[in-house]
Amino acid sequence: MRPTILDTLFSPVSALPGVGPKIAELLVKLLGRETPDETRVVDLLFHAPSSLVDRRHQPGIASAPQGAIVTLTGRVDRHQPSPKGKTNIPYRVFLHDETGELALVFFRGQAAWLDKQLPVDEEVMVSGKIEWFNGRASMVHPDYIVKVSDAGNLPLVEPVYPLTAGLSPKTLRKIIEAALPRIPEFPEWADKELVARQGFPSAAEGFRQLHEPRDPADVDSQAPARRRLAYDEFLAGQLSLSLVRQRLRKVAGTPVKATGIISRAILNQLPFSPTASQTAAVADILKDMAGQDRMLRLLQGDVGSGKTLVALLSMAAVIESGGQAVLMAPTEILARQHHATISKYAGSLGIGIDVLTGRTKGRERDDVLERIALGEAQIIIGTHALFQESVSYKNLMLAVVDEQHRFGVHQRLRLTAKGISPHMLVMTATPIPRTLVLAAFGDMDVSKLTEKPAGRKPIQTITIPTERIGEIVQRLKSALAEGRKAYWICPLVEESEELDITSAEERYATLTSALGPGIGLIHGRMSGAEKDAVMMAFKNGEIRLLVATTVVEVGVDVPDATIMVIEHAERFGLAQLHQLRGRVGRGDEASTCILLYKGPLGETGHARLSIMRETEDGFRIAEEDLKLRGEGEVLGTRQSGTPGFRIASIEAHADLLEIARRDAAYLIDRDPELTSERGNAVRTLLYLFRRDEAIRFLHAG
């Protein structure tokens, strides 16, 4: 049960003043939740400001520097409304102080509202960005207008938050201000000596300081409030992992007795030999599964390094031993693709292979569930639908989770929480530096696939400025005429799905007019069935050019696609560019990746594109990306924090991760059930950071 002290933080955001259904939907999007019900007040507390606007600078009109945010006090002289019918000419209001005159500029300004806000002869304070043109100062749409008598209502120091389209900074700030008084005084879960040594505020004070910065230093990653909350977040994460580990050790594994009969039959069908690292990974997995303890292994393999084959041979061993295996993929497209690949190699051997996703409905679903329960389905491939209450397995011995850099410790927990204790193999296509493995997985055993399968040709990577886009379109025209297939990736534009899709749709329109039919479009707003239909048409060659947003990044396999164009490549992180590039070069033809960039490039953009030209080694790219960009990008999440982490950042707080790891191990060792005074405080911490699954493990004992 969640402690009652947290009730005020876990009420839905709609309980806050000013949050109606429309704003609630925007907050769902901003805070990364699924539904308004799941979006709670606590999620707002973890939405940290990224910078600060300082309105204390009050230089007087004549001394206000170009482009600076300033606060000015002056007397209103006159209004100059837009001429009738000419809405393109702005409404202007002029005011002066003892140093000079300022024009306030309003596009589509409403006369009645402006008269009320800025009555002639009233002394007012305005705050916003100053523009100088021909020796005259102006301020377009001031951020604040208050009468001098109400000066107390002008916030002089203001945090700036990441936003989503449709949500204004003022609205979000008001909502967060309404959330802050709900913070209770938490019991102290951190070690007292550590708190003193690090100069940490209390957790409650940490949240308040985070959202009420007084100074640019307060929004720095090393500010005491940020470090305190980062430590708490790492501690919650490491404790969850320790509890999972402790629980996994309590539940004995079922030893897998592999005979090699099915594995040999699969290997005999392959048109190639497995690489040395594939063979070594399979040997590690079989050795782990043969023991009394449950396997928990991470398989890291670069794009196209052949993780699916390792998974298939691991599943074959389990079937030889009379068990069932599941393979969970993050998306419908991927699940169907894994099904196609695995059926190709294992379908002819009489193995029962089934697919179960959210789209498996009605009679078909009932049939699949029955085959799973009877054990006729030996390999079951699907999305998280595999772990729903209604699915019962006859003898599940292995779960393979294809995380595709979406690190859900949650899925892994949910499976174990069902009372099933299969061996676990977690696969990721993002090569991960060691510190990140610790943060996301704890001390998990790791296998790496380092070579590319035989026959894969290197991909030639070139960088070209957007001014030369016409040449690229001409080169595409001749390539498509020769029967080649290509991807054209459009960027994420400012985090806005609307803009994102427009850019893909516009590019689709311009390419269709330049190249004629045979072009497909795929983006995140399409339904699963629509995406699948377009992907199938591309695979079968009805479509030769696929225009897409980053939807295709995840695991799409079209071996005869040989050209990848990435527009605005400078907007993508290295890991993402590397993932996208890995969609080509999967067959035996030479492939090309064209990175179109808009100059001039900054230092980071320049370094990023250079690394892409120099190497295809995902492990090197991951290390470089961590230096350039931070771990959020390495793990394929666009937030600044590590997946699952809202405030902590590995480069900024690596010292705290190490302390949290040791502290979690010490705590679990001394108080495995968390029943001591500090143990109870730690339970509150776990609930606060939504690590409820970890607490269920305690109850499951």
Side-chain angles (χ1 to χ4, degrees):
M1 287 293 290
R2 185 189 300 125
T4 50
I5 188 175
L6 297 178
D7 288 354
T8 51
L9 296 183
F10 278 84
S11 41
V13 281
S14 52
L16 295 171
V19 182
K22 193 175 164 211
I23 297 283
E25 280 299 342
L26 292 171
L27 291 174
V28 170
K29 211 161 133 188
L30 177 71
L31 303 169
R33 293 275 155 215
E34 299 281 312
T35 63
D37 272 357
E38 275 183 34
T39 313
R40 306 296 171 91
V41 174
V42 70
D43 297 320
L44 287 161
L45 296 186
F46 288 125
H47 189 66
S50 51
S51 60
L52 190 81
V53 175
D54 190 344
R55 301 188 187 282
R56 290 174 294 197
H57 188 35
Q58 303 189 24
I61 294 169
S63 312
Q66 161 68 21
I69 288 181
V70 295
T71 302
L72 301 168
T73 305
R75 193 170 291 282
V76 180
D77 293 324
R78 59 199 162 91
H79 285 232
Q80 186 183 311
S82 314
K84 268 213 170 359
K86 295 210 170 169
T87 49
N88 59 335
I89 297 177
Y91 188 119
R92 289 185 167 83
V93 178
F94 295 90
L95 52 97
H96 74 275
D97 67 6
E98 61 276 11
T99 70
E101 186 179 59
L102 173 71
L104 303 179
V105 180
F106 301 91
F107 290 92
R108 300 184 181 276
Q110 302 297 319
W113 183 81
L114 288 167
D115 272 336
K116 193 173 164 212
Q117 291 290 315
L118 294 158
V120 172
D121 232 21
E122 179 82 45
E123 203 170 357
V124 295
M125 288 175 85
V126 292
S127 190
K129 195 178 192 177
I130 275 289
E131 304 289 348
W132 283 92
F133 189 69
N134 284 346
R136 306 177 84 115
S138 66
M139 192 181 278
V140 180
H141 290 275
D143 301 327
Y144 286 95
I145 302 170
V146 298
K147 294 174 180 164
V148 168
S149 51
D150 299 331
N153 296 337
L154 175 69
L156 291 175
V157 179
E158 213 180 357
V160 177
Y161 291 93
L163 291 167
T164 188
L167 187 64
S168 77
K170 260 184 197 163
T171 305
L172 178 62
R173 179 68 193 146
K174 269 203 174 110
I175 296 167
I176 288 177
E177 278 175 351
L180 292 177
R182 290 171 165 253
I183 301 170
E185 284 308 322
F186 304 108
E188 184 53 87
W189 45 70
D191 176 65
K192 304 264 193 305
E193 283 175 21
L194 176 75
V195 170
R197 200 167 57 244
Q198 292 280 346
F200 283 160
S202 71
E205 190 49 41
F207 280 119
R208 287 191 284 266
Q209 288 178 18
L210 181 72
H211 292 286
E212 291 171 349
R214 307 300 322 136
D215 199 88
D218 295 343
V219 289
D220 187 72
S221 59
Q222 297 306 329
R226 291 238 175 189
R227 281 181 62 81
R228 163 75 215 221
L229 297 173
Y231 178 75
D232 289 346
E233 194 160 23
F234 281 147
L235 183 61
Q238 293 299 310
L239 278 164
S240 303
L241 292 166
S242 297
L243 288 167
V244 177
R245 261 340 216 345
Q246 174 185 298
R247 173 84 178 124
L248 295 184
R249 288 197 187 104
K250 278 187 188 172
V251 183
T254 310
V256 170
K257 297 178 172 61
T259 62
I261 295 169
I262 297 174
S263 309
R264 276 195 295 277
I266 291 170
L267 289 167
N268 290 338
Q269 292 187 33
L270 296 180
F272 53 84
S273 299
T275 63
S277 52
Q278 281 176 317
T279 308
V282 172
D284 285 342
I285 289 164
L286 295 187
K287 186 177 166 211
D288 285 358
M289 293 198 299
Q292 292 300 321
D293 292 337
R294 288 177 58 194
M295 172 177 77
L296 185 56
R297 184 169 282 276
L298 173 65
L299 177 65
Q300 282 187 255
D302 210 342
V303 179
S305 60
K307 291 182 295 296
T308 311
L309 177 63
V310 173
L312 176 56
L313 293 171
S314 310
M315 295 194 278
V318 164
I319 294 163
E320 291 164 3
S321 192
Q324 290 169 297
V326 297
L327 169 55
M328 177 176 139
T331 65
E332 178 95 24
I333 289 186
L334 251 180
R336 303 259 167 209
Q337 187 176 294
H338 278 312
H339 181 249
T341 311
I342 284 172
S343 301
K344 187 166 81 181
Y345 294 129
S348 59
L349 304 175
I351 297 170
I353 305 171
D354 269 291
V355 176
L356 182 65
T357 69
R359 275 178 38 213
T360 318
K361 293 276 194 289
R363 190 61 215 267
E364 184 194 357
R365 184 182 166 83
D366 294 342
D367 291 348
V368 173
L369 292 178
E370 188 181 350
R371 286 198 295 276
I372 293 173
L374 293 171
E376 291 165 12
Q378 293 162 291
I379 293 180
I380 307 99
I381 300 160
T383 53
H384 51 270
L386 292 168
F387 303 155
Q388 283 162 353
E389 296 305 316
S390 54
V391 188
S392 70
Y393 296 91
K394 184 172 186 213
N395 182 16
L396 181 60
M397 289 172 86
L398 170 67
V400 182
V401 183
D402 186 0
E403 303 251 65
Q404 207 68 32
H405 66 236
R406 298 176 189 201
F407 291 136
V409 177
H410 292 300
Q411 280 89 351
R412 306 207 288 280
L413 295 189
R414 201 165 294 140
L415 185 65
T416 317
K418 277 192 76 171
I420 306 170
S421 54
H423 298 284
M424 295 209 77
L425 178 66
V426 180
M427 306 197 295
T428 166
T430 310
I432 319 164
R434 171 88 186 127
T435 40
L436 295 184
V437 173
L438 284 178
F441 295 106
D443 296 319
M444 208 169 183
D445 301 313
V446 179
S447 294
K448 283 183 177 183
L449 300 182
T450 47
E451 311 103 319
K452 280 203 167 187
R456 291 273 170 99
K457 295 251 169 56
I459 302 167
Q460 186 197 8
T461 303
I462 49 181
T463 49
I464 290 180
T466 31
E467 293 79 47
R468 290 171 54 194
I469 202 164
E471 293 172 36
I472 302 297
V473 175
Q474 284 313 307
R475 280 167 67 179
L476 260 182
K477 194 171 193 168
S478 39
L480 297 176
E482 289 163 16
R484 297 175 72 182
K485 281 187 192 169
Y487 292 98
W488 187 299
I489 306 296
C490 294
L492 279 161
V493 181
E494 306 310 333
E495 300 287 285
S496 147
E497 276 184 37
E498 286 79 3
L499 287 169
D500 181 11
I501 287 161
T502 328
S503 74
E505 283 176 340
E506 280 172 7
R507 181 56 66 212
Y508 171 70
T510 57
L511 289 171
T512 304
S513 67
L515 304 171
I519 299 178
L521 171 66
I522 193 166
H523 58 65
R525 284 282 180 83
M526 292 160 70
S527 71
E530 289 170 323
K531 284 185 214 164
D532 288 355
V534 176
M535 279 316 301
M536 261 346 271
F538 185 49
K539 230 177 153 118
N540 302 336
E542 297 148 44
I543 290 170
R544 293 232 154 257
L545 173 61
L546 183 63
V547 178
T549 55
T550 47
V551 176
V552 301
E553 177 191 344
V554 180
V556 178
D557 194 19
V558 181
D560 56 346
T562 55
I563 300 166
M564 167 65 74
V565 181
I566 304 175
E567 197 172 339
H568 278 298
E570 78 283 354
R571 291 185 177 206
F572 294 90
L574 261 177
Q576 223 178 3
L577 288 172
H578 180 62
Q579 287 284 335
L580 288 165
R581 174 169 65 182
R583 299 297 115 230
V584 295
R586 299 172 88 85
D588 39 22
E589 292 215 20
S591 295
T592 310
C593 175
I594 299 159
L595 303 175
L596 281 173
Y597 67 88
K598 188 171 172 25
L601 285 175
E603 205 175 317
T604 306
H606 208 299
R608 208 178 289 152
L609 298 187
S610 301
I611 292 160
M612 287 297 293
R613 277 203 311 267
E614 284 165 28
T615 182
E616 281 185 64
D617 174 355
F619 289 95
R620 183 181 158 207
I621 284 174
E623 295 288 354
E624 293 291 340
D625 205 12
L626 188 57
K627 286 182 212 157
L628 283 178
R629 181 63 187 235
E631 76 289 347
E633 197 57 54
V634 177
L635 297 179
T637 56
R638 282 193 311 279
Q639 290 82 0
S640 56
T642 315
F645 291 126
R646 306 293 298 271
I647 298 200
S649 138
I650 283 180
E651 327 88 302
H653 307 125
D655 60 321
L656 297 176
L657 172 60
E658 199 42 53
I659 298 169
R661 197 164 71 87
R662 287 199 303 264
D663 195 13
Y666 170 82
L667 234 163
I668 296 295
D669 187 44
R670 291 293 171 96
D671 182 14
E673 298 299 318
L674 300 182
T675 48
S676 65
E677 188 186 345
R678 187 176 174 208
N680 274 311
V682 159
R683 286 171 180 249
T684 306
L685 164 79
L686 289 168
Y687 277 114
L688 177 68
F689 281 90
R690 288 184 180 256
R691 302 283 184 167
D692 308 26
E693 254 115 351
I695 293 176
R696 274 186 224 138
F697 277 106
L698 284 170
H699 301 320

